[in-house]
Amino acid sequence: ASAMSLLIESIAINPSTRRCDKGRLCTGIEKRRREALLWKSFQSIPILDGIYSTYKLGPKASKTSEVELTNFIDSFENFLLVATDVMKSKEIDIENLSWLFSDFFVLRAFKGFSSAASNANLIHLVNLLNMKEILSLLATSPNPLYHIDGIIYGAKTFVGLKPTVWGQDLFFILGILDFDKMALVLGKAASFYAGYGSRYDHRGMERWLDACSNPTVGLTWDETSKFRSYDHRFSLSSETCGDKFRSLYDNYMQKFDDRRDLNRATEEIGKYRPVLVATSLVVGDGADDWRSANEKYRDASTFDFSPSYDDFRIGYFGQEEHLTKTHEHLQEFYADRFRTQRFHPLVGYTWQEVISTSTAEPTLSSGTPLNENDGIGLGGWPDPLRINVAYGLGAERVVSIVARNDDHSYPRSVFALLGAPDSLLDDLYSFDVESEVVKEISEATGVWCTNWGGFSSGDQGGLFEDSYYAPFITVDPLLSQASNAVPKASIRSCSPTLGLQ
C-alpha cells in the first residue's frame, strides 16, 4: 500500500495528465482517464512485477514449484555457511562476498529451474536481498549457526515453505529483503510517473495518453496493452498501447542517472497530495526493551521481549497539517476507537523511510528504529482498513479494497506477541462481534471484494483481471453505476454483518 501511495501521488503531479491533444488543457474527465490509465500500467513495469513476484513466491505458484523453492532456500543457506567460514578466515571481505553472491545463484540456485519466469522472479529477489547486513551480522556473531537458523526460518516463512510459528524472534530476525534498496528502486519508477527530469519524454507521454486513455476506459491492463490506435494524429498505428508504454518507460530508466536525477523516494511523504501511511510502533519503555533485546539477539544471548501493550501505537507518516486534521476528525467522530486512542503522528520522513518501515513486517524484517520520540517501527499490519483515516483527510467517498475470507489472523497473532489480551483482539478484528473491523467496513462508501491471495505468482494476469471485475458492494447512487456494482453480497469479510446474524 505504501508503494502504491507513492506511485499514485507521483501520477497526480505529472503535467502530461493535464495537457491534452497538442497542449490544450484537459477537461476534468480527460485528466481522470489519463491518471486511471497510468494506474493500470503499474502491472506492466518490471520493477513492480519483480517485487510483487518476490512477495508472492510460494509452493502454490504455478511457475515456481515447491521443489524449486526448496532448492533456492537450501542454496541460500549453503552460501551463508560457506560465507561465514570464508569471513572467519579473512580470505575475502563482505563487499566482495556480496558481489559474488549473485554469481553463485546464477550458477547454482537457478540450475534446473523449470521456466524462464521462475528464473526472472528469483533474479528480482536476488537483486533485492539484504546480503550486506546479513553478512555483517554473521561476520561478528559469536554463534553464526544460531543467526543462520533464524534467517533461514524467516526466509522459509517468507516464501511459504514452512507453517508459521509465532515467537519473539520475529521482531529481531534479519529479513532477506533490503527494504531501503527496494524503496529507491520504486522511487525511480515514481520519478518516471511524476515526469521528473530533462530525460523524460513529455511529448511522447502526452501522445500515448491522447491515443490510449479514452478508447480503453473500462478495459483491464491486459486488454489495454493489446489495443492499437489508428487515429492519424497519434503515430501509434505500428505499436500497441502496451508496447509504446514500455518503450517510454524503458528509455527513461536506461537514461536515469542515480547521481544526478531526483529519486522521488528521497522526497517527503505527502509533499504534493494528502496521504498517510500506517505502521505499528512500540514507544517509551517498549522501545527501550526492543533495543535491549535486539543487542542480546545479535550477541546470540538469551533475551526476553515482552512489552506492555500500553506502549503500542499506530503511527501515521504524513505532513503535519494532514496528520493534525485527521486526528482531530477521529477525536470528534470516533473517540472510542482504538486507532484514535493510539494515534501517533510521524512527521518529516521521506518516502524511502516510509516504505522501508511500513513494508518491513515481522518475518520480512527486524524492527526499524525511528526518531527518538517515535520509537521502533514494526510494520504496517495493525490497521488493515484505514477508512475513517481517509475521511479525516477530506475524502467524500471511501472505497475499501478487501480480500474475501480475510480473517485478520496475521495482525491478531503479531499483536498478541506484543501483549494484547484476547478481549482486545476480538474487539478489533473479530467478525463474530461488532468489532472495529465490522464497524469500519460498514462505514465505507463501497467495498471492492477481491480474491487477493487466491492466485499464484505465476498468474498475475488472472489476479488483476479477477480483481478488476470483482464484486463492488455499494448503494451509493454515483458508484452504483459501475458495471460490477451490487447492493449486497454474501461474503463474510466484505459484508461483515453476516457474521453477527
Side-chain angles (χ1 to χ4, degrees):
S2 56
M4 294 299 102
S5 296
L6 167 60
L7 296 176
I8 290 169
E9 183 193 50
S10 300
I11 288 173
I13 61 175
N14 190 324
S16 296
T17 64
R18 301 188 292 273
R19 292 196 296 260
C20 287
D21 193 13
K22 300 183 179 179
R24 69 172 175 82
L25 190 66
C26 296
T27 65
I29 192 169
E30 286 174 326
K31 180 176 183 296
R32 290 192 292 273
R33 287 177 175 177
R34 292 161 91 85
E35 291 178 347
L37 176 58
L38 286 170
W39 283 28
K40 286 192 284 190
S41 72
F42 293 165
Q43 185 182 345
S44 74
I45 63 175
I47 289 173
L48 293 184
D49 177 51
I51 291 172
Y52 173 79
S53 297
T54 296
Y55 274 108
K56 298 298 288 184
L57 284 171
K60 292 190 294 184
S62 61
K63 295 183 180 179
T64 310
S65 71
E66 184 171 353
V67 171
E68 292 170 343
L69 287 171
T70 300
N71 289 340
F72 170 79
I73 295 296
D74 288 345
S75 296
F76 181 48
E77 182 174 12
N78 289 335
F79 178 84
L80 295 183
L81 292 168
V82 172
T84 300
D85 289 339
V86 170
M87 288 187 293
K88 295 294 184 185
S89 66
K90 302 186 184 304
E91 293 181 15
I92 191 169
D93 59 22
I94 293 172
E95 186 73 29
N96 285 320
L97 269 175
S98 298
W99 283 105
L100 287 174
F101 177 74
S102 296
D103 294 336
F104 173 87
F105 267 84
V106 169
L107 292 173
R108 181 171 180 176
F110 295 163
K111 185 178 180 181
F113 272 49
S114 62
S115 68
S118 293
N119 288 342
N121 289 346
L122 288 170
I123 287 171
H124 281 297
L125 173 60
V126 168
N127 289 336
L128 293 173
L129 285 178
N130 187 25
M131 288 312 303
K132 286 188 179 180
E133 188 176 7
I134 289 173
L135 292 174
S136 295
L137 173 64
L138 298 180
T140 59
S141 172
N143 187 354
L145 293 180
Y146 166 74
H147 287 119
I148 289 174
D149 284 347
I151 292 165
I152 296 303
Y153 168 80
K156 286 181 176 179
T157 303
F158 170 65
V159 300
L161 290 176
K162 186 182 182 72
T164 300
V165 178
W166 300 97
Q168 293 182 341
D169 283 10
L170 292 185
F171 299 113
F172 305 97
I173 291 171
L174 289 185
I176 64 173
L177 293 183
D178 184 334
F179 284 96
D180 276 330
K181 184 188 296 184
M182 186 181 81
L184 289 173
V185 171
L186 285 167
K188 289 172 64 173
S191 293
F192 166 79
Y193 278 106
Y196 275 13
S198 59
R199 297 168 177 79
Y200 187 76
D201 184 0
H202 286 280
R203 183 61 187 139
M205 176 57 73
E206 289 169 18
R207 293 176 69 132
W208 178 72
L209 290 169
D210 286 341
C212 298
S213 59
N214 288 324
T216 60
V217 170
L219 302 182
T220 65
W221 174 254
D222 183 60
E223 296 164 334
T224 296
S225 65
K226 298 171 184 175
F227 182 84
R228 295 179 186 272
S229 173
Y230 296 99
D231 191 308
H232 67 88
R233 294 173 295 173
F234 301 137
S235 303
L236 281 179
S237 58
S238 62
E239 295 179 293
T240 65
C241 289
D243 290 338
K244 182 60 179 176
F245 175 80
R246 279 301 301 270
S247 175
L248 290 167
Y249 179 83
D250 291 342
N251 287 339
Y252 180 85
M253 286 300 176
Q254 289 169 7
K255 297 174 182 177
F256 193 92
D257 188 333
D258 290 325
R259 295 168 298 178
R260 297 173 53 191
D261 293 329
L262 179 60
N263 188 312
R264 279 235 60 220
T266 64
E267 295 187 296
E268 275 194 22
I269 181 176
K271 184 177 178 180
Y272 302 106
R273 288 292 186 274
V275 58
L276 301 183
V277 172
T279 191
S280 53
L281 300 172
V282 286
V283 299
D285 291 341
D288 292 338
D289 290 346
W290 183 92
R291 295 185 185 96
S292 175
N294 188 50
E295 289 182 9
K296 292 178 180 178
Y297 170 78
R298 288 175 176 261
D299 197 38
S301 302
T302 302
F303 68 91
D304 178 60
F305 179 57
S306 302
S308 167
Y309 89 91
D310 291 334
D311 292 327
F312 179 82
R313 299 289 184 274
I314 302 179
Y316 293 92
F317 294 102
Q319 293 289 310
E320 186 171 9
E321 61 180 298
H322 302 148
L323 290 162
T324 300
K325 177 182 178 181
T326 300
H327 195 203
E328 289 176 350
H329 172 85
L330 294 176
Q331 288 175 317
E332 181 177 359
F333 296 102
Y334 308 100
D336 61 336
R337 302 286 175 91
F338 185 78
R339 175 197 291 119
T340 305
Q341 297 166 357
R342 300 302 178 98
F343 189 99
H344 185 100
L346 297 169
V347 180
Y349 289 89
T350 66
W351 275 109
Q352 182 179 13
E353 293 168 318
V354 171
I355 292 171
S356 62
T357 302
S358 181
T359 311
E361 298 183 337
T363 70
L364 299 181
S365 176
S366 61
T368 306
L370 299 173
N371 294 338
E372 183 176 356
N373 294 329
D374 295 333
I376 308 297
L378 298 176
W381 52 266
D383 190 9
L385 298 175
R386 305 163 202 173
I387 292 167
N388 294 324
V389 171
Y391 285 127
L393 273 175
E396 296 180 2
R397 294 178 175 86
V398 178
V399 173
S400 181
I401 301 175
V402 175
R404 66 188 67 172
N405 301 321
D406 183 1
D407 61 0
H408 301 288
S409 58
Y410 180 80
R412 286 185 67 111
S413 300
V414 179
F415 201 4
L417 287 176
L418 295 172
D422 289 341
S423 58
L424 174 62
L425 298 177
D426 286 340
D427 288 343
L428 293 177
Y429 302 117
S430 176
F431 287 117
D432 295 322
V433 298
E434 196 174 358
S435 66
E436 295 199 7
V437 162
V438 168
K439 292 176 183 177
E440 190 152 7
I441 292 180
S442 302
E443 290 157 356
T445 315
V447 176
W448 203 286
C449 191
T450 72
N451 194 23
W452 185 264
F455 290 80
S456 69
S457 65
D459 191 15
Q460 293 180 58
L463 166 65
F464 282 101
E465 183 169 357
D466 177 83
S467 298
Y468 201 81
Y469 295 113
F472 177 34
I473 306 168
T474 184
V475 293
D476 181 82
L478 177 63
L479 299 183
S480 295
Q481 298 175 37
S483 60
N484 60 330
V486 294
K488 59 182 179 180
S490 299
I491 304 172
R492 190 182 192 211
S493 59
C494 301
S495 301
T497 51
L498 290 172
L500 304 179
Q501 296 175 355

